[in-house]
Amino acid sequence: MCSSSKQTVKSYINQLKIPSNLLPSELGNLYFYSCFIQASCDFLIEEKWLMGLDAKKKPDQDFLKQYFNNQLSTIDFIKDDLCLDNKALLKLKKQFEKLEFEILLEAKERTPVEKKKFLIQALNRMTNIFIQEEQAREDNLNFPRLYRSFDGLDSIFELDYNLDVEMLVDEESKERLYQGSGVGVQSGYSSILLALHFLDLKYGQSVTDLGSGYGRLGLVFSLLRSDLLMNSYEYVDHRVQLSKEAASMLEISKKCIFTTQDLSVEDFKLPFSDIYYLYDPFSEETYQYIISQISEYAKSRKVTIVTKGNARKWFLKLAKEKSWKEPLDIDASNLSIFELTT
Ligand SMILES: C[S@@+](CC[C@H](N)C(=O)[O-])C[C@H]1O[C@@H](n2cnc3c(N)ncnc32)[C@H](O)[C@@H]1O
């Protein structure tokens, strides 16, 4: 599919230059490779350590073969370039960090239409690697650590987490607003893309993010599935404003809606949605309030809940009470998918 990006990666290793005028999709591929190769350098160093190999020596081809046939098959075209001692692997990783930086700079200069193509290509490549990571987990194989590898994409969405640093919270509020928390409390791209993959959504279904933070979930789902109706509610207004600006820049705002809303207030009635997504948003009281509304809907329609983090425990309790089936746990059990049926 992308033999030219493979060539670009190879030529980058030799000449440390990215060709100008890359198509946005090629730039997206290159972004993917630059991040995956960085994680792979760390991975090889760790695997060598686990196997008791000498850090100062190049590993032999047989050692590398097992990885390039499996976990690192995506980058087997540079397997010879990764046959390095640890010092050289770290140097290569630094080069790819620089490449990632340059790619993002270049992508930021592109038109909104090109940015969109860049993002879609990168996200599709990331989906495949996260599925591969999921498979490796099932097979009990170690895998390059990717959890925060692709956070640089936020700069294309222009999500500026610094706005959280000086935020003031109403001291009377009982809500859990993650004052000053930034990127650490946004769902990782692995969670978002695996959720989208495993949900296997039907055409035009509605998805609601309850406590949407900076809106990564809505933005990514809408980019990859323009048929979905995405609704995101968030208490903190500056986060909502940035999500809205990103959606508008990418021309997805028609079906990717962000609303500033305190979901704990009693005059707010939660609209029906086929899927609700919750990543640790609420105080206990608010969970009870929201769950009671979702349970009402589930009496007459199928509702799917995706939880991340501790939100799982609330729905597990509910599932047991109502004899709903066990959730599907994915992403190292970070994500759970509950199907609530009548
Ligand atoms: C852990 S973050 C998750 C953000 C996003 N859903 C994600 O997965 O990337 C939880 C978010 O819930 C928001 N939140 C907490 N209480 C809320 C409430 N009562 N109404 C709306 N949002 C709320 C917080 O401000 C925070 O941004």
Side-chain angles (χ1 to χ4, degrees), residues 164-169 176-182 239:
D164 267 6
V165 176
E166 295 192 354
M167 85 184 241
L168 295 174
V169 171
R176 192 177 178 191
L177 302 178
Y178 297 91
Q179 188 175 5
S181 295
R239 297 178 184 155

Side-chain angles (χ1 to χ4, degrees), residues 175-176 185 187 209 211 234-235 239 261-263 279 281:
E175 297 311 291
R176 192 177 178 191
V185 295
S187 289
D209 187 0
E234 166 60 45
Y235 187 120
R239 297 178 184 155
Q261 177 66 52
D262 175 1
L263 295 167
Y279 172 20

